[in-house]
Amino acid sequence: MLKKFTTLVATAALSTMLLTGVALAEPIVIKFTHVVAENTPKGQMANKFKDLVAERMGGKVVVEVYPSSQLFGDNKEMEAMLLGDVQLAAPALAKFERFTKQVQVFDLPFLFKDMEAVDRFQSSDKGQALLKSMEKKGVVGLGYLHNGLKQLSASSPLRVPADASGKKFRIMTSDVLAAQFQAVNAIPLKKAFSEVFTLLQTKAIDGQENTYSNIYSQKFFEIQPYITESNHGLLDYMIVSSSEFWLGLPADIRTELEAIMAESVTFGNKIAGQKDLEDKQKIIDSKRTEIITLTPAERSQWVEAMKPVWKQFEKEIGKDLIDSAFQSNN
Ligand code: SIN
């Protein structure tokens, strides 16, 4: 009986294919891995991409999103992508050091005065060229995505650089960020994002740097009594795929996906600005932590202490690139 039924189904499928002339091809599956919560600019952008692809390319392409380091932590996601275990990732720009030295320009402290300057630089020829800077390593940059400017959270108040001296701070895997903390005699520790909450909770570290969105969504504000609004650096992302996968896609599919990607990034960038303000307000409302506003004189001390890092990395990054990024402030 079962055999008869199976044969009938197979015959029906074959007749459909013969009638329509179309083989029922399997959809292309794109796994998008990331390390943050869904309620963040990156989380929302990834979900938007997935929804738009389902709406407009249903049947041809399916996007699966894996948030919160569910599939791979941030020290594994690039390898996973190059091995073909996932097809899309959007690591913080600070996490590309092994693939390109130039992208480190984005980590230089106090380089961008606001997100408009970041936008201007990212959309300039030099900014766009950085998306291609890892192609020899098999990585293709598909676009930039904002989170925002970073603040310093700590177990004690940080008003001037001397307050950070001797304190341990978790950083992303970037030598520029290490140098930035060394410049104020602090101790930087490169650790995965998924470990930060526990490191802070167990007091293995004294502080960390991040955006309001990540400080809120990861609950760092519940265990860090002080946040210094320093806006000292940038946390943005590059959406990447492996050249092998992306360039191997049929041209029409790739073009459609790139258009949807651009639309999703615009959506994510809009959310980033809103979330920065909203999550800061939620942190204030929680009364769990004090947000320290620096006086201009206090802020100048941080700038003066950290800015020599630019010179330190001038050779690796390129003076031209640093100058162009800085000029985007005008
Ligand atoms: C992220 O926003 O993707 C993670 C940032 C971090 O590692 O601090």
Side-chain angles (χ1 to χ4, degrees):
M1 179 66 185
L2 183 66
K3 200 169 162 207
K4 201 169 164 195
F5 177 72
T6 315
T7 314
L8 272 174
V9 171
T11 313
L14 188 63
S15 335
T16 311
M17 280 162 60
L18 289 175
L19 279 175
T20 57
V22 179
L24 301 173
E26 288 291 313
I28 297 166
V29 177
I30 297 183
K31 293 186 179 166
F32 190 160
T33 182
H34 67 81
V35 300
V36 291
E38 289 198 283
N39 189 21
T40 56
K42 184 160 57 180
Q44 299 278 299
M45 176 267 154
N47 288 350
K48 182 75 171 178
F49 180 69
K50 172 186 155 167
D51 292 347
L52 290 179
V53 168
E55 198 180 300
R56 298 183 196 161
M57 304 180 76
K60 284 192 283 181
V61 182
V62 173
V63 177
E64 297 172 0
V65 179
Y66 297 91
S68 304
S69 308
Q70 241 172 52
L71 209 52
F72 295 104
D74 57 13
N75 45 6
K76 291 270 160 58
E77 55 185 6
M78 288 299 283
E79 280 81 355
M81 198 193 69
L82 287 170
L83 287 170
D85 292 336
V86 295
Q87 288 67 40
L88 281 179
L93 294 168
K95 294 175 184 168
F96 290 106
E97 191 176 86
R98 281 176 303 139
F99 299 88
T100 165
K101 296 292 176 200
Q102 289 177 307
V103 171
Q104 293 184 115
V105 67
F106 290 106
D107 288 341
L108 293 173
F110 297 105
L111 181 63
F112 299 106
K113 70 171 188 208
D114 52 31
M115 295 308 289
E116 284 72 36
V118 175
D119 261 333
R120 280 192 289 274
F121 178 60
Q122 289 179 347
S123 55
S124 71
D125 287 351
K126 284 208 162 69
Q128 289 294 300
L130 291 178
L131 295 173
K132 298 181 191 300
S133 64
M134 297 179 274
E135 283 185 356
K136 279 200 186 116
K137 304 258 168 80
V139 177
V140 45
L142 302 172
Y144 294 105
L145 174 69
H146 293 331
N147 188 319
L149 295 175
K150 291 179 288 186
Q151 321 302 344
L152 292 165
S153 79
S155 50
S156 56
L158 304 175
R159 290 182 195 282
V160 290
D163 296 333
S165 179
K167 301 263 175 347
K168 292 189 190 125
F169 289 87
R170 175 270 172 173
I171 55 162
M172 295 180 270
T173 50
S174 154
D175 286 347
V176 172
L177 298 181
Q180 168 197 277
F181 279 103
Q182 281 155 355
V184 294
N185 299 315
I187 304 155
L189 296 166
K190 291 179 182 172
K191 296 284 178 189
F193 186 57
S194 55
E195 293 173 35
V196 183
F197 185 88
T198 307
L199 289 167
L200 291 171
Q201 195 179 37
T202 57
K203 306 214 181 317
I205 54 173
D206 303 293
Q208 62 86 46
E209 51 165 13
N210 235 305
T211 56
Y212 281 121
S213 153
N214 278 346
I215 293 173
Y216 179 72
S217 57
Q218 296 297 312
K219 302 191 191 314
F220 298 157
F221 71 102
E222 292 185 1
I223 46 172
Q224 290 269 268
Y226 301 97
I227 297 173
T228 299
E229 187 163 278
S230 49
N231 288 319
H232 64 280
L234 175 71
L235 173 60
D236 261 19
Y237 309 108
M238 194 187 287
I239 303 160
V240 288
S241 186
S242 74
S243 321
E244 193 184 341
F245 173 75
W246 200 257
L247 304 178
L249 285 169
D252 57 330
I253 299 256
R254 190 169 60 241
T255 306
E256 213 171 336
L257 284 173
E258 282 171 357
I260 295 177
M261 177 75 75
E263 198 175 324
S264 310
V265 164
T266 304
F267 171 81
N269 285 350
K270 204 165 137 213
I271 289 195
Q274 289 161 2
K275 283 214 78 56
D276 196 54
L277 298 172
E278 280 169 22
D279 290 346
K280 175 182 173 182
Q281 193 54 48
K282 285 184 196 152
I283 292 170
I284 294 172
D285 294 346
S286 77
K287 299 190 170 43
R288 302 285 290 260
T289 183
E290 182 189 335
I291 295 188
I292 297 171
T293 307
L294 298 174
T295 64
E298 286 167 343
R299 194 164 192 276
S300 303
Q301 286 194 45
W302 289 94
V303 177
E304 213 174 293
M306 289 179 165
K307 217 169 148 189
V309 173
W310 296 18
K311 193 92 198 146
Q312 208 176 320
F313 285 85
E314 197 174 272
K315 236 184 170 155
E316 275 184 31
I317 297 172
K319 188 173 177 336
D320 244 31
L321 199 56
I322 299 176
D323 289 347
S324 301
F326 183 60
Q327 276 155 20
S328 64
N329 288 307
N330 301 321

